[in-house]
Amino acid sequence: MEYIVSARKYRPMTFGSVVGQTALTTTLKNAVKSGKLAHAFLFCGPRGVGKTTCARIFAKTINCEHISADGEACNECESCRAFNEQRSLNIFELDAASNNGVDSMRQLTEQTRIPPQMGRYKVFIIDEVHMLSAQAFNAFLKTLEEPPSYVIFILATTEKHKILPTIISRCQIYDFERMDVAHTVAHLKMVAEKEGVSYDEESLALIAEKADGGMRDALSIFDQCVSFCGGTLTYDKVVNNLNVLASDNYFQLVDLCLENKVADVMLLVNSIISNGFDGGQLVNGLASHLRNVLMAKDPSTLPLLEVSERQRARYGEQARKCPPRFIYQALRYCNECDQGYRQSSNKRLLVELTLIEVAQVLQEDEPGAGRPRKTLKSLFKNLVALGNQKAASQVAATEPHGTPRPQAAPAVAATPTPETRPAAASSSPAASPSPASPSPTPATVTRRPVPGVRPRGLGMFKQMEAKKEETNHEEEVEITNKEEQKPFSQEDLSREWLAMCNRMAKALPGLAPRLKNIIPLITDYPNIEIVVDNRQLLEQISQLKGRIRKTMAIYLHNGNIDFNIRLAKAEEVKPVLSKRELFEKITKENHAVEQLRQLLDLELA
């Protein structure tokens, strides 16, 4: 007995036996019953979903002599028997993939002139119509628009976008849907029972998933698996036959990642790759698995899982263990790996790094494990603390000849807020850290008020008074070398002042260059005077007066020095000259400089 594959043997012969296209077949049956038939139909959709099958059933039904009440063919009249025995002269099938020229369309046009000898309609089924050339479409266009009353065209295609719009506009369009897993499994059960094949539901569900919505592909895979399994379909045998990665691997992989077991993940990946599976296939399968886990977290999205009931229960169980953040982050890592997989020169390393990142997603939440999570608030706190430490180390001095000098307190004291000012005012100089000991971390961190934000409980005038008080606030710093009386000159003062400014450059990059432009002068030894040209700079230096005095006392080895900081008078303010203005002033005071410039033919750049 001749063997016939299941896709042909169990091909539907009536509208009722068509699987998964209920809305479409109902429309066609109603059109047959009412007699309102268009002259051209366009059936489009994925491969293996029943386009050509429905076209043949429709062609047989409209020529049936005894149509049933529900719009089905009787399969008993001469027209139906002729069609079933493949000897009907009223139905013509043309494969446009191999007959896509103008001559084929002209022959078809010639055949439309001959009326049917038996039945009412002459039906022309053109399969893969998108393969016709542009010239063939144009030759077919006029006949399609105004065919004889007894001619019906049924065009079938998998790529509707390749058909000319002028063709589409002359057809009734029927879009066929992909087969879902449930309908495919139900049809496979029927075929298995008729063929006497034992099965389990998971194996049929795996075949349906592999078919990807095509019933013809599902039946072909079914025949292949039956041949391999010897009449008994089991999940393990189907997995081996189809060379697909079992879902148990993905469930195990996610469980290991949730437990941060990176070593076990690497061993599992090595086992999977050693069995011949591609790393990209593993990542794509994991992404699909995570998508199913995400769908299983919400009962409203649970119907989107095209799996068996047992698998659906497993997805629901794992979804309860997976936090949403883990799923989202893991999906993002898998997507990035998939995008860079083809360009990667070391594909296995890319897959392993991706899975390591997935395994460490939840590790970030554990204290002391993995990378610490950084938020914007804590990051700024760290920067503030780091800045204060740097300021303290820069202003503090070191003893000459490599001897470490005592550490000074932070160069800029944090401005106290109104809530903390009483506590700060009550502190005594004795509470200040000694130069020989490292600066302790303050118990209360105070911050400067944010500009433009008025503190609560203070009116406008109170806020101005508070700001003035904060600006003029100077922290008392104890001088530890009062017994030293070493004399110093103006040259020594200028040298140590410049050295201090250089040390302050990193901690106070805005203030240090301005201090370099100031020349401190010895007015009444050992008193030193600092003259500044604007009030803002005066306020900033006043806050640092105690630190500067202590630093210079240590460097100059004189504990009796004192600083007097004042604002420059109008006649003391010197204009800031550009290079050209400075050169012109020099040439006016010394004509020899101008003569030298002319002699050497120099120009000021």
Side-chain angles (χ1 to χ4, degrees), residues 531-533 566-575:
V531 181
V532 296
D533 56 358
R566 67 176 178 86
L567 190 64
K569 301 177 182 178
E571 60 273 11
E572 294 178 337
V573 178
K574 298 181 180 180

Side-chain angles (χ1 to χ4, degrees), residues 335-347 350:
N335 184 49
E336 292 175 355
C337 178
D338 180 56
Q339 292 176 354
Y341 188 79
R342 291 186 178 180
Q343 289 76 22
S344 176
S345 57
N346 193 341
K347 294 179 170 53
L350 177 62

Side-chain angles (χ1 to χ4, degrees), residues 574-605:
K574 298 181 180 180
V576 180
L577 303 178
S578 64
K579 293 182 179 180
R580 183 174 295 278
E581 292 173 342
L582 182 61
F583 179 76
E584 292 176 355
K585 180 181 178 181
I586 294 174
T587 54
K588 288 179 181 180
E589 296 176 354
N590 191 347
H591 297 286
V593 177
E594 177 63 20
Q595 294 176 359
L596 178 63
R597 185 194 69 80
Q598 295 178 358
L599 180 63
L600 298 177
D601 193 18
L602 300 177
E603 292 184 1
L604 185 64

Side-chain angles (χ1 to χ4, degrees), residues 247-465:
S247 59
D248 292 341
N249 293 282
Y250 298 121
F251 282 105
Q252 183 181 359
L253 193 59
V254 172
D255 288 338
L256 293 175
C257 291
L258 289 173
E259 298 173 3
N260 310 130
K261 295 182 178 179
V262 178
D264 293 339
V265 169
M266 292 296 100
L267 292 175
L268 180 59
V269 171
N270 180 70
S271 174
I272 292 173
I273 295 178
S274 299
N275 289 332
F277 293 100
D278 183 60
Q281 180 184 356
L282 171 62
V283 173
N284 288 331
L286 179 61
S288 300
H289 177 84
L290 290 169
R291 177 260 180 195
N292 290 342
V293 173
L294 183 61
M295 294 300 104
K297 290 191 73 69
D298 192 341
S300 61
T301 57
L302 199 58
L304 298 180
L305 292 180
E306 297 184 347
V307 294
S308 63
E309 290 298 328
R310 180 175 175 274
Q311 289 288 85
R312 186 170 299 181
R314 293 187 65 186
Y315 277 117
E317 180 182 353
Q318 190 167 76
R320 287 189 289 271
K321 297 188 297 184
C322 292
R325 191 177 70 85
F326 169 80
I327 301 177
Y328 298 147
Q329 195 77 353
L331 283 171
R332 186 169 69 85
Y333 289 148
C334 291
N335 184 49
E336 292 175 355
C337 178
D338 180 56
Q339 292 176 354
Y341 188 79
R342 291 186 178 180
Q343 289 76 22
S344 176
S345 57
N346 193 341
K347 294 179 170 53
R348 175 165 180 169
L349 179 61
L350 177 62
V351 172
E352 291 176 342
L353 289 177
T354 300
L355 294 177
I356 290 174
E357 289 179 325
V358 173
Q360 292 181 342
V361 170
L362 295 182
Q363 193 174 2
E364 298 175 356
D365 292 336
E366 300 177 2
R371 301 187 300 267
R373 296 188 64 192
K374 294 291 184 182
T375 60
L376 193 62
K377 186 175 180 181
S378 63
L379 182 60
F380 274 108
K381 285 182 180 178
N382 295 338
L383 287 177
V384 170
L386 182 61
N388 290 339
Q389 293 176 3
K390 287 186 176 180
S393 61
Q394 292 297 329
V395 176
T398 55
E399 290 289 342
H401 309 293
T403 305
R405 287 182 179 163
Q407 294 288 337
V412 181
T415 305
T417 60
E419 292 79 2
T420 59
R421 189 179 295 113
S426 62
S427 60
S428 61
S432 302
S434 63
S437 60
S439 302
T441 303
T444 303
V445 179
T446 58
R447 296 179 178 84
R448 189 182 301 278
V450 180
V453 179
R454 185 176 65 182
R456 295 182 179 179
L458 288 179
M460 182 182 298
F461 294 103
K462 290 184 178 180
Q463 182 182 358
M464 294 175 61
E465 292 296 330

Side-chain angles (χ1 to χ4, degrees), residues 198-207 209 225 228-229 232-251 289 307-308 310-311 314-315:
S198 60
Y199 59 87
D200 56 14
E201 189 172 352
E202 289 187 0
S203 61
L204 297 183
L206 181 59
I207 294 174
E209 292 176 20
C225 293
F228 176 79
C229 300
T232 302
L233 293 180
T234 60
Y235 181 79
D236 294 335
K237 291 182 179 180
V238 172
V239 165
N240 293 333
N241 182 275
L242 299 182
N243 194 30
V244 296
L245 191 57
S247 59
D248 292 341
N249 293 282
Y250 298 121
F251 282 105
H289 177 84
V307 294
S308 63
R310 180 175 175 274
Q311 289 288 85
R314 293 187 65 186
Y315 277 117

